[in-house]
Amino acid sequence: MRQASRQLNVETAGQRLYEITREVQSWVAAQGIGEGLLTLFVHHTSASLLIQENADPRVQDDINAFFRRLVSEDRSLYSHNEEGPDDMPAHIRAALTTTQLSVPVAQGRADLGRWQGIFLYEHRARGRERRITLHLLGE
Amino acid sequence: MRQASRQLNVETAGQRLYEITREVQSWVAAQGIGEGLLTLFVHHTSASLLIQENADPRVQDDINAFFRRLVSEDRSLYSHNEEGPDDMPAHIRAALTTTQLSVPVAQGRADLGRWQGIFLYEHRARGRERRITLHLLGE
Amino acid sequence: MRQASRQLNVETAGQRLYEITREVQSWVAAQGIGEGLLTLFVHHTSASLLIQENADPRVQDDINAFFRRLVSEDRSLYSHNEEGPDDMPAHIRAALTTTQLSVPVAQGRADLGRWQGIFLYEHRARGRERRITLHLLGE
């Protein structure tokens, strides 16, 4: 049994989903581990991870529109407002999705379903650099 | 340290929770691994996984009713409508719950709490066959 | 490759987030595992786990207020009411957050981001003792 890990930095440009499937699969393939467990972890509290359909990009737009409707940016709802009207909603949208994802590895790749892509979900209005750790355990 | 994995197929019949605890525990028990980590992963973007109370089935009904109220099937809210009025809401309900779950294994079984059951959550209106991977790591 | 596990009991006192980062990091540091994967699992269906900002406590208050607005305690919405008006909303709030979290371990500690804390999220109105398993795999 072996393990490997890597930092993946993603430059974002505002609230939306950013697909990282290809970068993740390339790194997994290069580790020479046939069967195991891949874990992704995002080191932020206003961005999150999501596995969702990557065939029609409008699915991603509709998901983002839903979360914008669900979590209002009305400042009067929040007490933590110093970091701007999009900050507290960003924390809540992150809490509603996930900070970490694990995917079984089979035949040397993350065993995603046919329509599944891995996304970083940026919840802040302005872009920033987001750090994700990829951790792989297996043999 | 060893690992094992298995595909579990679940035939669904519409929007609700389907308990899979017994199948999961039987498979874990048969692997002869006393202590470790079990991961479940669903290979779809309109079904998800959930650990919830399995004592009173009305808890499952109330959870499902909540998600149906929260995520409207009004087509005018979505741009991706080709796959039917239940498709986009299914993706969103999946995003609000989880694609993957890990459970510590102790004394040869998934160490669930007394009232915890593992469920596949089907979000589409019509039934289909859903594929879940069980992955076990331990010794 | 080695593994270790521990039960962590948290005494709660009503609906809010309880930070457990320090207890978790102390235990991880004592295991002498430099690189690996830490998994936390809560053995209840009306409490959950969350990684969120731990700098300004009002972020936690705003998150809790959001979940209280989102999931009504109006009994007429639910069929499972025997355990009190806060029980069914507690199950739903737990379903919207997570039962399990995994965090990569690097240099002997859970590799959290600068502003990330690990919290137990109590969803019931009255306090109780909550059980969490910490499971560590690595070397």
Side-chain angles (χ1 to χ4, degrees):
Chain A
M1 199 73 60
R2 288 193 297 121
Q3 54 185 343
S5 65
R6 195 211 144 173
Q7 302 297 313
L8 178 66
N9 293 317
V10 180
E11 198 74 47
T12 65
Q15 271 171 38
R16 64 173 182 87
L17 293 152
Y18 296 81
E19 188 164 10
I20 57 171
T21 315
R22 198 157 45 179
E23 291 89 329
V24 171
Q25 291 287 28
S26 301
W27 179 76
V28 171
Q31 303 317 305
I33 286 179
E35 189 182 355
L37 186 69
L38 170 72
T39 299
L40 294 95
F41 183 86
V42 60
H43 298 262
H44 307 277
T45 59
S46 56
S48 58
L49 296 168
L50 205 56
I51 288 181
Q52 260 302 330
E53 187 189 302
N54 62 356
D56 180 354
R58 289 174 305 161
V59 171
Q60 301 157 41
D61 296 341
D62 285 348
I63 288 173
N64 194 31
F66 170 83
F67 279 99
R68 289 176 57 85
R69 282 193 303 272
L70 185 68
V71 190
S72 166
E73 296 199 354
D74 176 352
R75 299 173 82 113
S76 71
L77 293 169
Y78 308 112
S79 57
H80 174 83
N81 282 311
E82 293 79 355
E83 298 176 64
D86 63 314
D87 182 62
M88 201 53 235
H91 290 301
I92 294 170
R93 291 169 194 151
L96 287 165
T97 48
T98 51
T99 298
Q100 164 267 328
L101 280 173
S102 295
V103 188
V105 169
Q107 300 177 311
R109 58 187 294 283
D111 188 17
L112 297 169
R114 187 171 172 186
W115 309 109
Q116 289 181 314
I118 305 175
F119 296 89
L120 170 74
Y121 195 169
E122 173 62 72
H123 300 292
R124 296 302 305 268
R126 287 177 50 193
R128 42 198 78 203
E129 190 173 68
R130 299 304 197 169
R131 184 165 72 94
I132 299 167
T133 290
L134 312 182
H135 176 264
L136 179 56
L137 200 58
E139 64 187 354
Chain B
M1 199 74 59
R2 289 193 297 121
Q3 55 184 342
S5 65
R6 195 210 143 175
Q7 301 297 313
L8 177 66
N9 293 317
V10 181
E11 198 75 46
T12 65
Q15 270 170 40
R16 65 173 182 85
L17 292 152
Y18 296 81
E19 188 165 10
I20 57 171
T21 315
R22 199 158 43 180
E23 292 89 329
V24 171
Q25 290 287 26
S26 301
W27 180 76
V28 171
Q31 303 317 305
I33 285 178
E35 189 182 355
L37 186 68
L38 170 72
T39 298
L40 294 96
F41 183 87
V42 60
H43 299 261
H44 306 277
T45 58
S46 57
S48 59
L49 297 168
L50 206 55
I51 288 180
Q52 260 301 330
E53 187 189 302
N54 62 357
D56 180 353
R58 288 174 307 162
V59 171
Q60 301 157 41
D61 296 341
D62 286 347
I63 287 173
N64 195 31
F66 171 81
F67 279 100
R68 288 177 58 86
R69 282 193 304 273
L70 185 68
V71 189
S72 166
E73 295 198 354
D74 176 353
R75 299 174 82 113
S76 71
L77 292 169
Y78 309 112
S79 56
H80 174 82
N81 282 311
E82 292 79 356
E83 298 176 64
D86 63 314
D87 182 62
M88 202 52 236
H91 290 302
I92 293 169
R93 290 170 194 150
L96 287 165
T97 48
T98 50
T99 299
Q100 165 266 329
L101 279 174
S102 295
V103 188
V105 169
Q107 299 177 312
R109 58 187 293 283
D111 188 17
L112 297 169
R114 187 171 173 187
W115 309 108
Q116 288 181 316
I118 304 175
F119 296 89
L120 171 73
Y121 195 168
E122 172 62 72
H123 299 292
R124 296 302 305 267
R126 289 177 48 193
R128 43 198 76 204
E129 190 173 70
R130 298 304 198 170
R131 183 164 73 93
I132 299 167
T133 290
L134 311 183
H135 176 267
L136 180 56
L137 200 58
E139 64 187 355
Chain C
M1 199 75 59
R2 290 193 296 122
Q3 54 184 343
S5 66
R6 196 211 144 173
Q7 301 297 314
L8 177 66
N9 293 317
V10 180
E11 199 75 48
T12 66
Q15 272 170 39
R16 63 175 182 86
L17 293 152
Y18 296 81
E19 187 164 12
I20 57 171
T21 314
R22 198 159 44 179
E23 292 89 328
V24 171
Q25 291 287 27
S26 301
W27 180 76
V28 171
Q31 304 316 305
I33 286 179
E35 189 182 356
L37 186 69
L38 170 72
T39 299
L40 294 95
F41 183 87
V42 61
H43 298 262
H44 306 277
T45 59
S46 54
S48 58
L49 297 168
L50 206 55
I51 288 180
Q52 261 302 330
E53 187 190 302
N54 63 356
D56 180 354
R58 289 174 306 161
V59 171
Q60 302 158 40
D61 297 341
D62 285 348
I63 288 174
N64 194 31
F66 170 82
F67 280 99
R68 289 176 58 85
R69 282 193 304 272
L70 184 68
V71 190
S72 166
E73 295 199 354
D74 176 352
R75 298 175 83 113
S76 72
L77 293 169
Y78 308 111
S79 57
H80 175 82
N81 282 311
E82 293 79 355
E83 297 175 65
D86 63 316
D87 182 62
M88 202 53 235
H91 290 301
I92 293 169
R93 290 170 193 150
L96 287 165
T97 47
T98 50
T99 298
Q100 164 266 327
L101 280 173
S102 295
V103 188
V105 169
Q107 300 177 312
R109 59 187 295 282
D111 188 16
L112 298 169
R114 187 171 172 185
W115 309 108
Q116 289 183 313
I118 305 175
F119 296 89
L120 171 73
Y121 194 169
E122 172 62 72
H123 300 291
R124 296 301 306 267
R126 288 177 49 193
R128 43 198 76 204
E129 190 174 69
R130 299 302 198 170
R131 184 165 71 93
I132 299 166
T133 290
L134 311 183
H135 176 266
L136 179 56
L137 200 58
E139 66 189 353

